[in-house]
Each structure stands twice: as structure tokens, then as C-alpha cells.
């Protein structure tokens, strides 16, 4: 929110959207700063957990949304739209683009959209052998808890979209890009991985 203040957006603090809210760790933090906060997640289990864990917080609600759009929300209905470590797990490129266009649509003029998405993943990680092996063992009938907990394999996809393509996408819509933060990993295990956080208004 310090960064938001530096950027001069959002200009109002009525409503915030936390897209891919999980158990609502960020949604509840936003509740101190906005009159109303809505957490959205594709997982019914996460939303159920978020509702239980955030019963003590006023002005928060949680919604399950399995669609690749946000048609449950009206145009320009949020002052702040936030999404962190979510779009990278959306396997379909068109769905990622649809969500970003929707973030811009539901953003109120003068609002702030902040979303994170990797811009590059090194070829070695793109193989995603742990995900492929997970799918293979599951199709052979091994149980999900066994494959996940015992073998430490994951079903989760890792996606990325190049920064230039995101800029083009934003340019074509109502959003106005303010800034991009880039983090480049340098460790032995994740060298070459580049993640961007986009700050957008309209
Ligand atoms: C790594 S967690 C991050 C949770 C939260 N943003 C945080 O920082 O604590 C990713 C979350 O994104 C959700 N997610 C994945 N794909 C989604 C989609 N298409 N729409 C909404 N939520 C999604 C998952 O169910 C999960 O709760």
C-alpha cells in the first residue's frame, strides 16, 4: 500500500478484489484499508477455509469462481484489484489473457490493478517433470495423497507470458500501465526465472 500511495492510486478506498485469494491471507490484510474486500478463488475448499478463518474480520467475503471471466462482477466495481502467485498456475494462456482483460474491466477509473506473472521460465523448468510424473502415476491408479505426500510430486502447472506480450495486451484495453517490477532469480535451482509485477490504472 506504500507503493500504491507513491503511485497515487487507488484514488478511493471503497472496494478491493483479491483474485486467487486462497485462504484469504491477503484479503484479511486488505480489510483494514478498504471498506469492502472480496476474495475470489477457483477452489471451493479454499473458499470454505477462507470463510472459516476470516470470520473475525468485518467487510470481507469470499466467492468461488470457476469461469475464465469475472462476469460475476460489474464493470468498474473495484478500486483495487490484486493477484499474486495465481496466474502462474493457470495452465491455459487464453484464460490468463482473459483474466487480465477482466481485471481491467472491473477496475474503477482511478483505481489500481496489481498482478504478478512470470515473464520467463528456463527450458529445464518448462519440462515440468514432477507434474508429468504426477499425472502419469495418477492415471495408473496411485492415490493423490500417496503421490503428493509420499513422493512429493505436484499437479500444479507453471505458466509464463513474456512481459512484452502483457504490455501489448494492456495497451489494447482500457488499462494504463504505470510500472513493472521485475525479479530475476539467480540461485542454482531457479536461475533464469523472471517474474514481473504489473501496476496498472485506468
Ligand atoms: C499459491 S496460492 C496463492 C494464494 C494467495 N494469493 C496468497 O498469496 O496467499 C494460489 C491460489 O490461486 C488459486 N487459483 C488458481 N487458479 C485460479 C483461477 N483460475 N481462478 C481463481 N483462483 C485460482 C488456487 O486455488 C490457490 O488458492
Amino acid at each position: 500500500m506504500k507503493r500504491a500511495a507513491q503511485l497515487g492510486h487507488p484514488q478511493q478506498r471503497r472496494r478491493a478484489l483479491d483474485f486467487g485469494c486462497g485462504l484469504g491471507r491477503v484479503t484479511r490484510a486488505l480489510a483494514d484499508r478498504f471498506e469492502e474486500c472480496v476474495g475470489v478463488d477457483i477452489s471451493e475448499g479454499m473458499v470454505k477455509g477462507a470463510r472459516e478463518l476470516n470470520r473475525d474480520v468485518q467487510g470481507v467475503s469470499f466467492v468461488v469462481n470457476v469461469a475464465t471471466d469475472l462476469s460475476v462482477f460489474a464493470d468498474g466495481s473495484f478500486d483495487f484489484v490484486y493477484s499474486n502467485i495465481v496466474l502462474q498456475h493457470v495452465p491455459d494462456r487464453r484464460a490468463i489473457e482473459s483474466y487480465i482483460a477482466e481485471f481491467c474491466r472491473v477496475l474503477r477509473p482511478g483505481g489500481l490493478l496489481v498482478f504478478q506473472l512470470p515473464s520467463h521460465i528456463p527450458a529445464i523448468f518448462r519440462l515440468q517433470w514432477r507434474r508429468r510424473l504426477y499425472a502419469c502415476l495418477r492415471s495408473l491408479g496411485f492415490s493423490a495423497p500417496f503421490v503428493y505426500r509420499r513422493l512429493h510430486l505436484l499437479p500444479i502447472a507453471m505458466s509464463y507470458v513474456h512481459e512484452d506480450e502483457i504490455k501489448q495486451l494492456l495497451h489494447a484495453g482500457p488499462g494504463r500501465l504505470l510500472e513493472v517490477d521485475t525479479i530475476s532469480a539467480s540461485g542454482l535451482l531457479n536461475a533464469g526465472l523472471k517474474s514481473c509485477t504489473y501496476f496498472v490504472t485506468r
Side-chain angles (χ1 to χ4, degrees):
M1 297 315 292
K2 273 190 201 152
R3 187 67 180 281
Q6 284 163 4
L7 292 168
H9 299 281
Q11 288 165 356
Q12 299 182 72
R13 295 277 187 95
R14 278 177 285 171
R15 230 169 149 228
L17 174 68
D18 179 17
F19 178 80
C21 61
L23 294 172
R25 108 192 139 103
V26 176
T27 327
R28 68 178 286 131
L30 290 172
D32 282 345
R33 290 146 177 103
F34 292 86
E35 287 169 26
E36 189 193 341
C37 298
V38 183
V40 169
D41 205 283
I42 197 169
S43 156
E44 232 177 80
M46 285 292 177
V47 166
K48 189 168 172 275
R51 284 180 183 143
E52 280 167 18
L53 289 167
N54 296 289
R55 269 196 297 236
D56 57 325
V57 186
Q58 288 229 318
V60 298
S61 60
F62 296 93
V63 175
V64 178
N65 183 63
V66 295
T68 55
D69 61 40
L70 296 174
S71 55
V72 282
F73 302 116
D75 296 2
S77 51
F78 290 97
D79 301 294
F80 187 58
V81 178
Y82 181 80
S83 184
N84 192 29
I85 47 177
V86 177
L87 293 176
Q88 63 188 34
H89 298 310
V90 175
D92 178 41
R93 164 73 179 255
R94 269 179 302 181
I96 295 175
E97 291 177 357
S98 164
Y99 286 130
I100 295 171
E102 285 289 85
F103 294 162
C104 294
R105 180 186 64 78
V106 301
L107 190 68
R108 192 170 280 151
L112 182 66
L113 158 63
V114 181
F115 68 93
Q116 170 274 342
L117 180 65
S119 169
H120 179 74
I121 296 178
I124 185 85
F125 295 114
R126 270 183 260 150
L127 292 174
Q128 302 193 22
W129 65 268
R130 289 171 82 195
R131 183 173 67 84
R132 289 179 202 279
L133 198 51
Y134 178 98
C136 179
L137 292 177
R138 288 286 288 127
S139 69
L140 290 174
F142 290 91
S143 76
F146 174 78
V147 181
Y148 177 65
R149 292 190 205 286
R150 287 285 187 82
L151 303 182
H152 304 290
L153 299 174
L154 298 164
I156 301 170
M158 271 299 278
S159 302
Y160 71 97
V161 180
H162 195 277
E163 182 181 342
D164 290 343
E165 293 172 78
I166 296 296
K167 285 179 176 167
Q168 270 176 25
L169 180 71
L170 291 169
H171 190 66
R176 181 166 58 86
L177 183 62
L178 296 170
E179 281 179 13
V180 185
D181 278 358
T182 303
I183 296 173
S184 296
S186 55
L188 187 62
L189 288 175
N190 50 12
L193 195 143
K194 194 171 142 189
S195 180
C196 292
T197 300
Y198 300 85
F199 297 80
V200 179
T201 189
R202 63 171 288 188

